[in-house]
Amino acid sequence: MKKFFLFVLLSAAAVSYAQDFTDAEMEENLDSVFEDASDVDFPVIKETDRDSDSRAFNGIAFSGKLSSSLGGGFIRENSENDFTGYFDFKNNLYADIKDNKTYSVHADVFLELPSEESSKTVSAADIIKLREFYFNYLFASRAYITAGKKKSVWGYPRLFVSDSGDYSGRIDITGNGISYDSTMNTNILSDSLYGTTVQIRIPVWTGTISGLVLYRGNSSELSMENVSWGFSAEFVLFDASINFFGRKNPNEKSSSVQSGLVKYSPHCIGAEIKRSVLGFDVYVQDIIRFKSVKKLASFWKEDEVFESSVATAGFYRMFNVRDSVLGFNFEYQCESLFNSSESQDDFMQRFFLEAGIKNLGKRHNIALGSDWFHNADASSGFVKFGINAGSVFKYTDWRTGIKAEYVSSEDAFLNKLTIGSFLRFTFNY
């Protein structure tokens, strides 16, 4: 059973980039894989993607997305071969209520089979989940207030923000780990979906100032020690989008951390800039983590104030070649640990390259995608390649991929090989 779920994750990962070409929100134009590669005129507030037809019923607009996959594959790991099958069924049901321009409510109910839960006894709550439920309110025609269960994204980086754990942060093939969630290396709100959010956004000058409160604690025993505080100031200046942000997290002695409900994460401050240069969208970000807010105020007097710095830089571009569409994205990231122990590296470098092309074949329904992640210090990473044949049947694509994971070792260089092929049914309603 473990191998079954392992294949579910890895075969999906092996063709995840090829999948991007034919999902409903991306099948018409590859540009949506990388978003728009032009200058921004105002700060962009990212919301959860929902690209499907909606139907109003008694003031409520319903929409949804159903997807299911069926296939099989081959895994070779530790000189052992394994053949396995693959099946999944997922459905998102969205509901939106808009009273007027000042008030709206959004809900997202998610159903998944098989459940991600590893236990043998799976309840209905494990299969059907309320992923998002929040409201937006325009106060005094000036301030935007959002409250509820909502996934938020702060930051420009595109590749080092995956929740998969394949290449984000120090969670890599070598097994290195850090005390805080690696996805927070670039998106400091990557855990927002698992708590309750209250956010206020105020347009100022050419940008937006945001304040956020995130609670991830026991609902029966509310405590301020389990609250995270965030701020963001984003402006457009000289055709560049500039953002300053930060987050204050619960300390190591808070009840949410002590109980294991929340992983401890140091406080952080960061800055980033994004601009189009010679047709390329270029962005740079740096996040610095520290343990004490009081010491930060007088860091020139204190020792060992800063814990780590994670710098990320990247660029992407889209362009057309006759009837084909080619896209690529490259990111470089370096992590510096201050006051690290002798057993832990104090400096790590990694990069990620993502490229793909679509509209191939007589029917223009073939897409190719490839990824390459490499940890320069550990000499480890992975390469994956996927082929997607779109619309082989109505609403159905055929996807095949291969993923090779490697690590510098005296025993073997190729750590794992995964090959998968399956049919993917997608329907938006």
Side-chain angles (χ1 to χ4, degrees), residues 234-249:
E234 185 173 9
F235 299 95
V236 174
L237 188 63
F238 301 112
D239 296 325
S241 183
I242 304 172
N243 188 17
F244 300 94
F245 54 88
R247 174 171 169 171
K248 182 182 182 298
N249 295 304

Side-chain angles (χ1 to χ4, degrees), residues 6-7 10-11 14 73-84 173 381-385 401-407 412-420:
L6 178 65
F7 178 73
L10 291 184
S11 86
F74 164 81
I75 299 176
R76 178 173 177 80
E77 184 178 13
N78 299 325
S79 300
E80 296 182 0
N81 300 328
D82 183 31
F83 294 89
T84 183
I173 299 172
F382 65 79
V383 178
K384 61 182 179 179
F385 177 78
I402 181 172
K403 178 178 180 181
E405 303 177 45
Y406 61 88
V407 60
F413 179 72
L414 184 61
N415 183 263
K416 181 185 294 186
L417 180 67
T418 303
I419 302 175

